[in-house]
Amino acid sequence: KKAMKHASDQPGSVAAEMIWLRQGGKADEAIAAAKKVNSDEMQLPISVRVQVGRSYAALKKVPEMMKIAESLKDVPDPGAQSFVGEAYRRIGDQNRARAALDNAMKNEIDHDPSRALRALVILEADDTVHFNVAIDDLNTLKELGKDAVGTRQRGYASLGLAVMGAR
């Protein structure tokens, strides 16, 4: 609310508002907030476009989510690449998900959401060749501890550990 009061036109403020709305079950309102910035979704700033994609995912509008993901697949931003990987994982395209997550890690080696999601993708795909990468990613996140890792990373890491345990 403070950010919106003082900098309502800034992409970070709009993205934060969208996250807050989506967490409250108001994904449609989050998309409406983004459209106040620009009615053309493909012209939105990267951080806002990622939140539009996540809002579509929350609304189970997969074609719209994938349209946003496709528009971000070549953006050298780890957050955008993490979303792209998440979108491809959601539709079952493990190879493209892995490529996007690897790109995110290339852009920022310590990008924990990408690290956690990459481990989960490797484990879900039964990629025995890269199993050690998944274990290393999960151990790295576990060593960081809950105070250094956000809820999304912890969630993906927990899923990864569960999948690993089941194997």
Side-chain angles (χ1 to χ4, degrees):
K1 287 182 179 183
K2 259 187 187 178
M4 289 306 289
K5 181 179 178 184
H6 297 289
S8 62
D9 60 336
Q10 294 299 310
S13 299
V14 175
E17 179 186 26
M18 292 176 72
I19 292 168
W20 180 72
L21 287 166
R22 199 175 65 246
Q23 287 176 340
K26 300 175 184 174
D28 50 347
E29 288 181 34
I31 293 170
K35 292 199 183 225
K36 289 178 191 173
V37 174
N38 191 332
S39 61
D40 182 1
E41 292 175 345
M42 299 307 146
Q43 299 302 317
L44 289 168
I46 293 167
S47 60
V48 177
R49 206 173 340 154
V50 166
Q51 295 311 319
V52 168
R54 288 196 170 124
S55 296
Y56 281 135
L59 293 169
K60 298 184 181 6
K61 293 184 175 183
V62 176
E64 291 88 345
M65 174 194 69
M66 290 310 300
K67 185 177 175 186
I68 299 293
E70 288 292 323
S71 77
L72 292 166
K73 70 179 181 181
D74 296 323
V75 174
D77 177 84
Q81 289 300 308
S82 182
F83 164 69
V84 171
E86 184 180 352
Y88 283 130
R89 175 183 169 264
R90 195 176 279 257
I91 64 166
D93 192 338
Q94 303 294 342
N95 292 329
R96 290 173 107 184
R98 176 70 195 279
L101 296 166
D102 284 345
N103 282 337
M105 296 292 292
K106 286 177 190 170
N107 288 311
E108 187 179 321
I109 192 71
D110 293 328
H111 196 257
D112 297 328
S114 298
R115 181 181 302 279
L117 190 53
R118 179 175 70 175
L120 183 57
V121 167
I122 290 169
L123 293 168
E124 286 178 338
D126 286 327
D127 183 355
T128 56
V129 173
H130 296 104
F131 190 67
N132 288 340
V133 172
I135 291 173
D136 181 58
D137 284 347
L138 293 171
N139 283 333
T140 299
L141 291 167
K142 196 172 179 183
E143 287 171 11
L144 288 173
K146 70 177 184 125
D147 294 332
V149 179
T151 54
R152 179 176 299 258
Q153 300 92 300
R154 283 197 311 271
Y156 286 142
S158 295
L159 283 170
L161 289 168
V163 170
M164 189 170 68
R167 298 278 183 281

